[in-house]
Amino acid sequence: MALAEPTPPPSVRRVGAWFGLVVLMACAVLVALTESSAPALMASVGVALGIWVGIGSLFSP
Amino acid sequence: MAETVSWMVKRETSAKRFRVTCRILRCFLAGGLVGGALMGLLVAGIARLFYVALGNELRPFSAAAAALAIAYLGTTLGVWRMPKPQIAQQVPSSWREVFPPGVASFLYASALGLTFFTRIGSLALFPLLALSLGLGQWPLAIVSLFAITGFFRAATALIVPVSDWIDVSGWDIFSTLTGQARRAQRLESVVLAVSAAILIVNLV
């Protein structure tokens, strides 16, 4: 039985756009919570790195 | 992971597939969150020791994270090679045959959430660890960071229903994803470069 043609996966560019949006939102929440201090900046960068660790691992199975 | 989700759904009858897919994905997300939070607890414990020993010193950890981001940026650009310390094990595929789909999915994603205890492709993990170790005064922030990491790692399972990959073979999924690896590596370079730049600007 022939399989249906699979839908193309979301492009890396689109994943990147979603990634940027989620990181910005998470950082905005962190900065609001900690009033723009140094730990908030570290945590914000950490959020960006953490989300990328999650998503990026998909492409190197 | 995508192959595992597809494999577990594919063996169900068509009538049950939608319900099973929803259950598997819910358990995946919960497992990633729990596994990540557990890893966060472990890192928070070590960070607390640094905090007790050194006090609230953010700059050395911020500098270390920037240095690691630059070092691993060089690796992604092919300039030099850096070690990737991790326990490079795959989650045992036998779980999906032994346990019901929900339990297997939860366990599988929990193991993925434990980051250092399974093979992980992204090099951004190492600057993340350096940053986290500097946040010993805020253990909840560290637990949250790793819970987010585990959650997003598990959430990549959503690519199966989004891309309609239920009936696609594991090999096709594997080759499609690895086919995008080069572009993903470029995006990783951007993430590492921007992170390093923000940390350096903050240090200066």
Side-chain angles (χ1 to χ4, degrees):
Chain A
M1 187 183 73
L3 291 177
E5 192 67 27
T7 312
S11 70
V12 172
R13 195 174 295 173
R14 207 185 320 160
V15 170
W18 275 106
F19 167 72
L21 187 67
V22 173
V23 168
L24 278 177
M25 285 164 59
C27 292
V29 172
L30 275 170
V31 170
L33 283 175
T34 48
E35 296 174 350
S36 225
S37 56
L41 184 98
M42 283 173 72
S44 300
V45 174
V47 168
L49 291 169
I51 293 174
W52 177 254
V53 168
I55 297 172
S57 297
L58 177 68
F59 296 100
S60 52
Chain B
M1 177 175 58
E3 303 100 278
T4 301
V5 175
S6 163
W7 185 90
M8 286 193 287
V9 176
K10 217 182 287 182
R11 64 183 174 174
E12 300 292 336
T13 58
S14 320
K16 287 185 180 171
R17 279 188 177 184
F18 178 73
R19 204 153 38 92
V20 171
T21 305
C22 291
R23 194 188 328 143
I24 285 173
L25 292 174
R26 271 199 307 270
C27 293
F28 248 90
L29 295 178
L33 205 59
V34 170
L38 285 175
M39 189 69 216
L41 273 177
L42 181 66
V43 176
I46 300 168
R48 197 72 185 169
L49 294 178
F50 278 114
Y51 173 65
V52 170
L54 305 172
N56 192 17
E57 286 288 338
L58 296 175
R59 288 177 70 84
F61 294 97
S62 204
L68 282 172
I70 292 168
Y72 284 106
L73 174 64
T75 301
T76 59
L77 296 175
V79 182
W80 56 67
R81 289 176 70 85
M82 286 282 291
K84 283 171 69 176
Q86 59 184 291
I87 300 168
Q89 285 183 343
Q90 296 280 16
V91 178
S93 61
S94 56
W95 286 5
R96 65 191 188 185
E97 289 158 28
V98 175
F99 298 107
V103 177
S105 303
F106 182 84
L107 291 174
Y108 191 101
S110 303
L112 291 177
L114 289 171
T115 47
F116 289 99
F117 295 100
T118 51
R119 199 179 74 80
I120 194 153
S122 176
L123 298 169
L125 181 62
F126 304 104
L128 169 65
L129 179 67
L131 275 180
S132 304
L133 289 175
L135 295 171
Q137 194 185 343
W138 301 276
L140 197 58
I142 301 172
V143 174
S144 305
L145 279 178
F146 278 87
I148 287 170
T149 305
F151 180 80
F152 270 85
R153 198 170 181 203
T156 56
L158 292 168
I159 198 168
V160 174
V162 167
S163 298
D164 197 14
W165 277 352
I166 300 294
D167 286 316
V168 180
S169 74
W171 174 251
D172 283 341
I173 292 175
F174 179 82
S175 48
T176 305
L177 289 173
T178 47
Q180 302 233 25
R182 199 168 174 78
R183 278 192 280 171
Q185 201 176 26
R186 267 186 248 142
L187 190 53
E188 177 154 87
S189 302
V190 173
V191 172
L192 287 170
V194 171
S195 302
I198 292 173
L199 292 170
I200 289 168
V201 166
N202 187 47
L203 279 167
V204 175

